[in-house]
Amino acid sequence: MTQQTRPQFRLDHVMIRVRDLDRALGFYRDILGMKVVRQVEYEGGRFTNSFLAFDGQQDQTALELTWNWDRDMPYESGDAWGHLALVVPNLVGAMDYLAACDVRIKTPPRQMAHGSRMIGFVLDADDHLVELVEPLTGA
Amino acid sequence: MTQQTRPQFRLDHVMIRVRDLDRALGFYRDILGMKVVRQVEYEGGRFTNSFLAFDGQQDQTALELTWNWDRDMPYESGDAWGHLALVVPNLVGAMDYLAACDVRIKTPPRQMAHGSRMIGFVLDADDHLVELVEPLTGA
């Protein structure tokens, strides 16, 4: 460690790469309802960064979608990164809504394999895993 | 799309996998100063989920570290997931602090290759990329 005073860190955003920004916005903006709070096109680097947040979370942690204009190959997901998780008041209702929007359901609502919470998983347009869960009750 | 009403989604957490929870907490808790807001050990599945947040962000988006007890191999990062990003009041000071804590510097503070913002990158204990950036000024 160090004798230096710890700076004040805050979680600003999480960045994932997408192959088609319009297609990705079709999920995060149009279906989930996130707002694009900032979007920058970098002509020189031929990429666009789009920052999204939900209403009420706009000064909080954002989701950054990076779209490299010339990328043709799918991205490799690896297994280091797990998922984004969304909290919803009603899990079954939310999964119904997503299914009605033709979002691909990876795991319908079920009890966690080794726990008691109900969770579900869907895939975004780039096969990024998105968990759905209800708020924790109690402590 | 659908005629159904859109549920109220919120970004709850982001999950990454770590090979050694104590070592990962040495970075996120001890060096960055995040608080463990919830931690659950799943004896049956032989894994632990640890949820962390910064002070002032504890009811906001959390970072979930998943530690699979029996995992020996490093995780594959792929290129689909980019990075976590931390906002700090002073980028150079924060990078100095992290260097003094023996955190591995990936990119010292520099101007974005195709933009004007100053950014830096460090690596966490599992080689996950962590960006440091100052708050946006102006609009």
Side-chain angles (χ1 to χ4, degrees), chain A residues 37-109:
Chain A
V37 292
R38 194 163 69 88
Q39 183 164 305
V40 188
E41 295 194 3
Y42 297 90
E43 286 276 351
R46 299 187 56 76
F47 65 97
T48 301
N49 288 344
S50 187
F51 293 81
L52 294 98
F54 289 106
D55 277 340
Q57 293 193 312
Q58 300 204 351
D59 57 351
Q60 302 176 23
T61 306
L63 174 65
E64 176 185 8
L65 304 178
T66 290
W67 171 46
N68 288 297
W69 302 349
D70 302 320
R71 173 83 179 200
D72 290 322
M73 300 280 293
Y75 288 103
E76 279 292 323
S77 284
D79 57 2
W81 179 50
H83 54 253
L84 300 174
L86 306 174
V87 64
V88 287
N90 179 314
L91 175 62
V92 172
M95 297 288 283
D96 281 349
Y97 166 82
L98 293 171
C101 293
D102 294 325
V103 171
R104 293 165 300 159
I105 307 296
K106 170 87 174 177
T107 310

Side-chain angles (χ1 to χ4, degrees), chain A residues 1-2 4-7 9, chain B residues 27 31-33 86 88 91-105 120-123 130-132:
Chain A
M1 301 295 286
T2 174
Q4 289 190 40
T5 304
R6 179 191 294 136
F9 297 103
Chain B
F27 178 69
I31 294 178
L32 294 186
L86 306 175
V88 287
L91 175 62
V92 171
M95 297 288 281
D96 280 349
Y97 166 83
L98 294 171
C101 294
D102 294 325
V103 171
R104 292 166 299 159
I105 307 297
F121 286 95
V122 300
L123 296 173
V130 179
E131 177 186 335
L132 281 291

